[in-house]
Coordinates of all heavy atoms in Angstrom, one line a residue:
M1 N 52.5 164.9 87.8 CA 52.2 164.9 86.4 C 52.9 163.8 85.7 O 54.0 163.5 85.8 CB 52.7 166.3 85.7 CG 52.7 166.3 84.3 SD 52.9 167.9 83.5 CE 51.6 168.8 84.0
E2 N 52.0 163.2 84.8 CA 52.5 162.1 84.0 C 53.6 162.6 83.0 O 53.5 163.7 82.5 CB 51.5 161.4 83.1 CG 50.5 160.5 84.0 CD 51.1 159.3 84.6 OE1 52.0 158.7 83.9 OE2 50.8 159.0 85.8
K3 N 54.7 161.8 82.9 CA 55.8 162.2 81.9 C 55.3 162.5 80.5 O 55.9 163.2 79.8 CB 57.0 161.3 82.0 CG 58.0 161.7 83.1 CD 59.3 161.2 82.8 CE 59.3 159.7 82.6 NZ 60.7 159.1 83.0
N4 N 54.4 161.7 80.1 CA 53.9 161.8 78.7 C 52.8 162.7 78.5 O 52.4 163.0 77.4 CB 53.5 160.4 78.1 CG 52.3 159.8 79.0 OD1 51.9 160.4 79.9 ND2 52.0 158.6 78.6
E5 N 52.5 163.6 79.5 CA 51.6 164.7 79.3 C 52.2 165.9 78.6 O 53.5 166.1 78.8 CB 50.9 165.1 80.6 CG 49.9 164.3 81.1 CD 49.3 164.8 82.3 OE1 49.0 166.0 82.5 OE2 49.1 163.9 83.4
Y6 N 51.5 166.6 77.9 CA 52.0 167.8 77.3 C 51.7 169.1 78.0 O 50.7 169.2 78.7 CB 51.4 167.9 75.8 CG 51.9 166.8 74.8 CD1 51.3 165.6 74.8 CD2 52.9 167.0 74.1 CE1 51.7 164.6 74.0 CE2 53.4 166.1 73.3 CZ 52.7 164.8 73.2 OH 53.2 163.8 72.4
V7 N 52.6 170.0 77.8 CA 52.4 171.4 78.3 C 52.3 172.3 77.2 O 53.3 172.2 76.3 CB 53.6 171.8 79.2 CG1 53.5 173.2 79.8 CG2 53.7 170.8 80.5
V8 N 51.4 173.1 77.0 CA 51.3 174.1 76.0 C 51.7 175.5 76.5 O 51.0 176.0 77.4 CB 49.9 174.2 75.3 CG1 49.8 175.1 74.2 CG2 49.5 172.8 74.9
I9 N 52.6 176.1 75.8 CA 53.0 177.5 76.2 C 52.8 178.4 75.0 O 53.3 178.2 73.9 CB 54.4 177.5 76.6 CG1 54.7 176.6 77.8 CG2 54.9 178.9 76.9 CD1 55.8 175.6 77.6
K10 N 52.0 179.4 75.2 CA 51.8 180.4 74.1 C 52.3 181.8 74.4 O 51.9 182.3 75.6 CB 50.3 180.5 73.7 CG 50.0 181.5 72.7 CD 48.6 181.5 72.3 CE 48.4 182.5 71.1 NZ 47.0 182.7 70.7
A11 N 53.3 182.3 73.7 CA 53.8 183.6 74.1 C 52.8 184.7 73.8 O 52.2 184.7 72.8 CB 55.2 183.8 73.3
I12 N 52.7 185.6 74.8 CA 51.9 186.8 74.6 C 52.7 188.1 74.5 O 52.2 189.1 74.6 CB 50.6 186.9 75.5 CG1 51.0 186.7 76.9 CG2 49.7 185.7 75.1 CD1 49.8 186.7 77.8
E13 N 54.1 187.8 74.4 CA 54.9 189.0 74.0 C 56.2 188.4 73.4 O 56.4 187.1 73.4 CB 55.3 189.8 75.3 CG 56.2 189.0 76.3 CD 56.7 189.8 77.4 OE1 56.3 191.0 77.6 OE2 57.4 189.2 78.3
D14 N 56.9 189.2 72.7 CA 58.2 188.7 72.1 C 59.2 188.3 73.3 O 59.3 188.9 74.2 CB 58.8 189.7 71.3 CG 58.0 190.0 69.9 OD1 57.2 189.1 69.6 OD2 58.3 191.0 69.2
G15 N 60.0 187.4 73.0 CA 61.1 187.1 73.8 C 60.9 186.3 75.0 O 61.5 186.3 76.0
V16 N 59.8 185.5 74.9 CA 59.5 184.6 76.1 C 60.5 183.5 76.1 O 60.8 182.9 75.0 CB 58.0 184.1 76.0 CG1 57.8 182.9 77.0 CG2 57.0 185.2 76.2
N17 N 61.0 183.0 77.2 CA 61.9 181.9 77.3 C 61.3 180.7 78.0 O 60.8 180.9 79.1 CB 63.2 182.4 78.1 CG 64.2 182.9 77.2 OD1 64.8 182.3 76.4 ND2 64.5 184.3 77.4
V18 N 61.4 179.6 77.3 CA 60.9 178.3 77.9 C 62.2 177.6 78.2 O 63.0 177.2 77.3 CB 60.1 177.6 76.9 CG1 59.6 176.2 77.5 CG2 58.8 178.4 76.5
I19 N 62.4 177.3 79.5 CA 63.7 176.7 79.9 C 63.4 175.3 80.5 O 62.6 175.2 81.4 CB 64.4 177.6 81.0 CG1 64.7 179.1 80.4 CG2 65.7 177.0 81.5 CD1 64.8 180.2 81.4
G20 N 64.2 174.4 80.0 CA 64.1 173.0 80.5 C 65.1 172.7 81.5 O 66.3 173.1 81.4
L21 N 64.7 172.1 82.7 CA 65.6 171.9 83.8 C 65.7 170.4 83.9 O 64.8 169.6 83.7 CB 65.1 172.5 85.1 CG 65.2 174.0 85.2 CD1 63.8 174.6 84.8 CD2 65.7 174.4 86.5
T22 N 67.1 170.0 84.2 CA 67.3 168.5 84.2 C 66.7 167.8 85.3 O 66.5 168.2 86.4 CB 68.9 168.3 84.4 OG1 69.3 169.1 85.5 CG2 69.6 168.9 83.1
R23 N 66.4 166.5 85.0 CA 65.9 165.6 86.1 C 67.1 165.0 86.8 O 68.1 164.8 86.3 CB 65.2 164.4 85.4 CG 64.4 163.5 86.4 CD 63.6 162.5 85.5 NE 62.5 163.1 84.9 CZ 61.4 163.6 85.4 NH1 61.1 163.4 86.5 NH2 60.5 164.0 84.5
G24 N 66.9 164.6 88.0 CA 68.0 164.1 88.9 C 68.6 165.0 90.0 O 68.1 166.1 90.3
T25 N 69.6 164.5 90.6 CA 70.2 165.2 91.7 C 70.8 166.5 91.3 O 70.8 167.5 92.1 CB 71.3 164.3 92.4 OG1 72.3 164.0 91.3 CG2 70.8 163.1 93.1
D26 N 71.2 166.7 90.1 CA 71.8 167.9 89.6 C 70.8 168.7 88.9 O 70.4 168.2 87.7 CB 73.0 167.5 88.7 CG 73.7 168.8 88.2 OD1 73.7 169.8 88.8 OD2 74.3 168.7 87.1
T27 N 70.2 169.8 89.3 CA 69.2 170.5 88.7 C 69.8 171.7 88.0 O 70.4 172.7 88.7 CB 68.2 171.0 89.6 OG1 67.6 169.9 90.4 CG2 67.0 171.7 89.0
R28 N 69.8 171.7 86.7 CA 70.4 172.8 86.0 C 69.5 173.1 84.7 O 68.9 172.1 84.2 CB 71.8 172.6 85.6 CG 72.1 171.2 84.9 CD 73.5 171.0 84.6 NE 73.6 169.7 84.1 CZ 73.3 169.3 82.8 NH1 72.9 170.2 82.0 NH2 73.4 168.0 82.5
F29 N 69.8 174.2 84.0 CA 69.1 174.4 82.6 C 69.8 173.6 81.7 O 71.1 173.4 81.7 CB 69.4 176.0 82.3 CG 68.7 176.9 83.1 CD1 68.0 176.7 84.3 CD2 68.7 178.3 82.7 CE1 67.4 177.6 85.0 CE2 68.0 179.3 83.4 CZ 67.4 179.0 84.5
H30 N 69.1 173.0 80.8 CA 69.6 172.2 79.7 C 69.3 172.8 78.4 O 69.8 172.3 77.3 CB 69.5 170.7 79.8 CG 68.1 170.3 79.6 ND1 67.4 170.3 78.4 CD2 67.1 169.9 80.5 CE1 66.3 169.8 78.5 NE2 65.9 169.6 79.8
H31 N 68.1 173.4 78.2 CA 67.7 174.1 77.0 C 66.9 175.2 77.2 O 66.1 175.4 78.3 CB 66.8 173.0 76.4 CG 66.4 173.3 74.9 ND1 67.2 173.0 73.8 CD2 65.4 174.1 74.4 CE1 66.7 173.4 72.8 NE2 65.5 174.1 73.1
S32 N 67.1 176.2 76.4 CA 66.2 177.4 76.4 C 65.8 177.7 75.0 O 66.5 177.7 74.1 CB 67.1 178.5 77.0 OG 66.3 179.8 76.9
E33 N 64.4 177.9 75.0 CA 63.8 178.2 73.7 C 63.2 179.5 73.8 O 62.5 179.8 74.7 CB 62.6 177.1 73.5 CG 62.2 177.0 72.0 CD 63.2 176.4 71.1 OE1 63.9 175.4 71.6 OE2 63.3 176.8 70.0
K34 N 63.4 180.3 72.8 CA 62.8 181.7 72.8 C 61.6 181.8 71.8 O 61.7 181.3 70.7 CB 63.8 182.6 72.2 CG 63.5 184.2 72.6 CD 64.7 185.1 72.7 CE 65.2 185.3 74.1 NZ 66.3 186.2 74.2
L35 N 60.5 182.3 72.3 CA 59.2 182.4 71.5 C 58.9 183.8 71.4 O 59.0 184.6 72.3 CB 58.0 181.6 72.4 CG 58.3 180.1 72.6 CD1 56.9 179.7 73.3 CD2 58.5 179.3 71.5
D36 N 58.5 184.1 70.1 CA 58.0 185.5 69.9 C 56.4 185.5 70.1 O 55.9 184.5 70.1 CB 58.4 185.9 68.6 CG 59.8 186.5 68.6 OD1 60.3 186.9 69.8 OD2 60.6 186.4 67.5
S37 N 55.8 186.7 70.2 CA 54.4 186.8 70.5 C 53.6 185.8 69.4 O 53.8 185.9 68.3 CB 54.0 188.2 70.3 OG 52.6 188.3 70.6
G38 N 52.7 185.0 70.0 CA 51.8 184.3 69.2 C 52.4 182.9 68.9 O 51.6 182.0 68.5
E39 N 53.7 182.7 69.1 CA 54.3 181.3 68.9 C 53.9 180.3 70.0 O 53.7 180.8 71.1 CB 55.8 181.5 68.8 CG 56.3 182.2 67.6 CD 57.8 182.1 67.4 OE1 58.5 182.2 68.3 OE2 58.2 182.1 66.2
V40 N 53.8 179.2 69.7 CA 53.3 178.2 70.7 C 54.4 177.1 70.8 O 54.9 176.6 69.7 CB 52.0 177.6 70.2 CG1 51.7 176.3 71.0 CG2 50.9 178.6 70.1
M41 N 54.7 176.6 71.9 CA 55.5 175.4 72.1 C 54.8 174.4 72.9 O 54.1 174.7 73.8 CB 56.8 175.8 73.0 CG 57.7 174.6 73.1 SD 59.3 175.2 73.6 CE 60.1 173.7 74.1
I42 N 54.8 173.2 72.3 CA 54.2 172.0 73.0 C 55.3 171.1 73.5 O 56.1 170.7 72.7 CB 53.3 171.3 72.0 CG1 52.2 172.3 71.4 CG2 52.6 170.2 72.7 CD1 51.6 171.8 70.1
A43 N 55.4 171.0 74.9 CA 56.5 170.2 75.4 C 56.0 169.0 76.3 O 54.9 169.2 76.8 CB 57.4 171.2 76.2
Q44 N 56.9 168.2 76.6 CA 56.6 167.0 77.6 C 57.7 167.1 78.7 O 58.7 167.5 78.5 CB 56.6 165.8 76.9 CG 55.6 165.3 76.0 CD 55.7 164.1 75.3 OE1 56.6 163.9 74.5 NE2 54.8 163.1 75.6
F45 N 57.3 166.5 79.8 CA 58.3 166.1 80.8 C 58.8 164.8 80.3 O 58.1 163.9 79.9 CB 57.7 166.1 82.1 CG 57.3 167.5 82.7 CD1 56.0 167.9 82.4 CD2 58.2 168.1 83.3 CE1 55.6 169.1 82.9 CE2 57.8 169.4 83.8 CZ 56.5 169.9 83.6
T46 N 60.2 164.7 80.4 CA 61.0 163.5 79.8 C 61.9 163.0 80.8 O 62.0 163.4 82.0 CB 61.7 163.9 78.5 OG1 62.8 164.8 78.9 CG2 60.9 164.6 77.5
D47 N 62.7 161.9 80.5 CA 63.8 161.4 81.3 C 64.8 162.5 81.6 O 65.5 162.4 82.6 CB 64.5 160.2 80.6 CG 63.5 159.0 80.6 OD1 62.6 158.9 81.4 OD2 63.8 158.0 79.9
H48 N 64.8 163.5 80.7 CA 65.8 164.5 80.9 C 65.3 165.7 81.5 O 66.1 166.6 81.9 CB 66.5 164.8 79.5 CG 67.0 163.6 78.9 ND1 68.1 162.9 79.3 CD2 66.7 162.9 77.7 CE1 68.4 161.9 78.5 NE2 67.4 161.8 77.5
T49 N 64.0 166.0 81.4 CA 63.4 167.2 81.8 C 62.4 167.0 82.9 O 61.4 166.3 82.7 CB 62.7 167.9 80.6 OG1 63.6 168.1 79.5 CG2 62.1 169.3 80.9
S50 N 62.7 167.5 84.1 CA 61.7 167.3 85.2 C 61.0 168.7 85.5 O 60.0 168.6 86.3 CB 62.4 166.9 86.5 OG 63.4 167.9 86.9
A51 N 61.4 169.8 85.0 CA 60.8 171.0 85.4 C 60.9 172.0 84.2 O 61.9 172.0 83.4 CB 61.4 171.7 86.5
I52 N 60.0 172.8 84.0 CA 60.1 173.9 82.9 C 59.8 175.2 83.6 O 58.9 175.3 84.3 CB 58.9 173.5 81.9 CG1 59.1 172.2 81.3 CG2 58.8 174.6 80.8 CD1 57.9 171.7 80.4
K53 N 60.6 176.1 83.2 CA 60.5 177.5 83.7 C 60.2 178.5 82.5 O 60.8 178.2 81.5 CB 61.8 177.8 84.3 CG 61.9 179.3 84.8 CD 63.2 179.6 85.5 CE 63.3 181.1 85.8 NZ 64.3 181.5 86.6
V54 N 59.2 179.2 82.7 CA 58.8 180.2 81.7 C 59.2 181.6 82.1 O 58.7 181.9 83.2 CB 57.3 180.1 81.4 CG1 56.9 181.1 80.3 CG2 57.0 178.6 80.9
R55 N 59.8 182.3 81.5 CA 60.2 183.7 81.7 C 59.4 184.5 80.6 O 59.7 184.4 79.4 CB 61.6 184.0 81.6 CG 62.4 183.5 82.9 CD 63.8 184.1 82.8 NE 63.8 185.5 83.2 CZ 64.5 186.0 84.1 NH1 65.4 185.2 84.8 NH2 64.4 187.4 84.6
G56 N 58.8 185.4 81.0 CA 58.0 186.4 80.2 C 56.6 186.2 80.2 O 56.1 185.3 81.0
K57 N 55.7 186.9 79.4 CA 54.4 186.9 79.5 C 53.9 185.8 78.6 O 54.0 185.9 77.3 CB 53.7 188.2 79.1 CG 52.3 188.4 79.5 CD 52.0 189.9 79.4 CE 50.4 190.2 79.5 NZ 49.8 189.7 80.6
A58 N 53.2 184.9 79.1 CA 52.8 183.7 78.3 C 51.5 183.0 78.9 O 51.3 183.1 80.2 CB 53.9 182.6 78.3
K59 N 50.8 182.3 78.2 CA 49.7 181.5 78.6 C 50.2 180.0 78.6 O 50.8 179.5 77.7 CB 48.6 181.6 77.7 CG 47.2 181.1 78.1 CD 46.1 181.5 77.2 CE 45.6 182.9 77.5 NZ 44.4 183.3 76.9
I60 N 49.9 179.4 79.8 CA 50.4 178.0 79.9 C 49.3 177.0 80.2 O 48.6 177.3 81.1 CB 51.5 178.0 81.1 CG1 52.6 178.9 80.8 CG2 52.0 176.6 81.3 CD1 53.4 179.4 82.0
L61 N 49.1 176.1 79.4 CA 48.0 175.1 79.6 C 48.7 173.8 80.0 O 49.5 173.2 79.4 CB 47.3 174.9 78.4 CG 46.2 175.9 78.0 CD1 46.8 177.2 77.5 CD2 45.2 175.4 77.0
T62 N 48.1 173.2 81.2 CA 48.5 171.9 81.6 C 47.2 171.2 82.0 O 46.1 171.8 82.0 CB 49.4 171.9 82.9 OG1 48.7 172.3 84.0 CG2 50.7 172.8 82.7
S63 N 47.3 169.9 82.3 CA 46.2 169.1 82.8 C 45.6 169.7 84.0 O 44.5 169.4 84.4 CB 46.5 167.6 82.9 OG 47.6 167.6 83.8
Y64 N 46.4 170.5 84.7 CA 45.9 171.2 86.0 C 45.1 172.4 85.6 O 44.4 172.9 86.5 CB 47.2 171.5 86.9 CG 47.9 170.4 87.4 CD1 49.2 170.0 86.9 CD2 47.4 169.5 88.4 CE1 49.9 169.1 87.3 CE2 47.9 168.4 88.9 CZ 49.3 168.2 88.4 OH 49.9 167.1 88.8
G65 N 45.1 172.9 84.5 CA 44.4 174.1 84.2 C 45.4 175.1 83.4 O 46.4 174.7 82.9
E66 N 44.9 176.2 83.4 CA 45.5 177.3 82.7 C 46.2 178.4 83.6 O 45.5 178.7 84.6 CB 44.5 178.0 81.8 CG 45.0 179.0 80.8 CD 43.9 179.7 80.0 OE1 43.0 179.0 79.6 OE2 44.1 180.9 79.7
V67 N 47.4 178.9 83.3 CA 47.9 179.9 84.2 C 48.7 180.8 83.3 O 49.0 180.4 82.1 CB 48.9 179.3 85.3 CG1 50.0 178.5 84.6 CG2 49.2 180.3 86.2
E68 N 48.8 182.1 83.7 CA 49.5 183.1 83.0 C 50.7 183.6 83.7 O 50.7 183.8 84.8 CB 48.6 184.3 82.6 CG 48.5 184.5 81.1 CD 47.5 185.7 80.8 OE1 47.8 186.7 81.1 OE2 46.5 185.4 80.2
S69 N 51.8 183.4 83.0 CA 53.1 184.0 83.5 C 53.2 185.5 83.2 O 52.6 185.9 82.2 CB 54.3 183.3 83.0 OG 54.3 183.3 81.6
E70 N 53.7 186.2 84.1 CA 53.8 187.6 83.9 C 55.2 188.2 84.1 O 56.1 187.5 84.6 CB 52.9 188.3 84.9 CG 51.4 188.0 84.9 CD 50.8 188.5 86.1 OE1 50.7 189.7 86.4 OE2 50.1 187.6 86.7
N71 N 55.5 189.4 83.8 CA 56.6 190.0 84.2 C 56.6 190.7 85.5 O 55.5 191.0 86.0 CB 57.0 191.2 83.1 CG 57.4 190.6 81.7 OD1 58.4 189.8 81.8 ND2 56.8 190.9 80.8
R72 N 57.7 190.8 86.2 CA 57.7 191.4 87.6 C 57.3 192.8 87.5 O 57.5 193.5 86.5 CB 59.1 191.3 88.3 CG 60.1 191.8 87.4 CD 61.5 191.5 88.0 NE 61.7 192.1 89.2 CZ 62.9 192.4 89.7 NH1 64.0 192.3 88.9 NH2 63.0 192.9 90.9
K73 N 56.5 193.2 88.5 CA 55.9 194.6 88.5 C 56.8 195.6 89.2 O 57.7 195.1 90.1 CB 54.6 194.6 89.2 CG 53.7 193.6 88.5 CD 52.2 194.2 88.5 CE 51.4 193.3 87.5 NZ 51.0 192.0 88.0
Ligands
LIG101 N1 65.8 167.0 74.9 C1 64.8 167.5 75.8 C2 64.2 166.3 76.5 O1 64.0 165.3 75.9 C3 63.8 168.3 75.1 C4 62.6 168.8 76.0 C5 61.6 168.1 76.3 C6 62.5 170.2 76.5 N2 60.8 168.9 77.0 C7 61.3 170.1 77.2 C8 63.3 171.3 76.3 C9 60.9 171.2 77.9 C10 62.8 172.5 77.1 C11 61.6 172.4 77.8 O2 64.0 166.3 77.7

């Protein structure tokens, strides 16, 4: 994925967490954003962020398509 591409995350329940993970040899959480139902976050991959983890039920749109995160069953 190009670093300047956007990822759209739409929460479909309260308390969805969007977590940014650091780029480089040390992979750790550097930011956590909490979204409530209906809230949307538009994010990019950057020099500081190489991965994004979504916890909770959300719709995620990228240039690869659309995917839905879920809660464990
Ligand atoms: N300061 C972070 C950065 O520039 C902000 C950020 C960008 C971010 N994309 C993110 C935080 C995705 C969480 C998830 O890398």
Side-chain angles (χ1 to χ4, degrees):
M1 167 170 297
E2 289 292 319
K3 267 205 306 207
N4 55 3
E5 280 183 48
Y6 289 87
V7 177
V8 178
I9 300 130
K10 180 177 183 182
I12 50 187
E13 68 177 2
D14 288 347
V16 169
N17 272 297
V18 180
I19 300 158
L21 290 97
T22 54
R23 188 174 296 281
T25 49
D26 179 28
T27 305
R28 56 180 172 75
F29 289 11
H30 70 75
H31 185 90
S32 175
E33 197 69 41
K34 196 159 259 179
L35 304 181
D36 283 333
S37 184
E39 290 186 324
V40 172
M41 181 165 167
I42 303 162
Q44 283 175 301
F45 290 92
T46 68
D47 288 345
H48 306 293
T49 305
S50 67
I52 298 169
K53 174 173 173 172
V54 179
R55 281 195 78 128
K57 200 166 162 59
K59 190 170 282 185
I60 302 157
L61 278 78
T62 71
S63 57
Y64 294 109
E66 185 183 321
V67 68
E68 233 174 69
S69 58
E70 298 166 59
N71 287 304
R72 55 193 292 211
K73 300 216 168 77

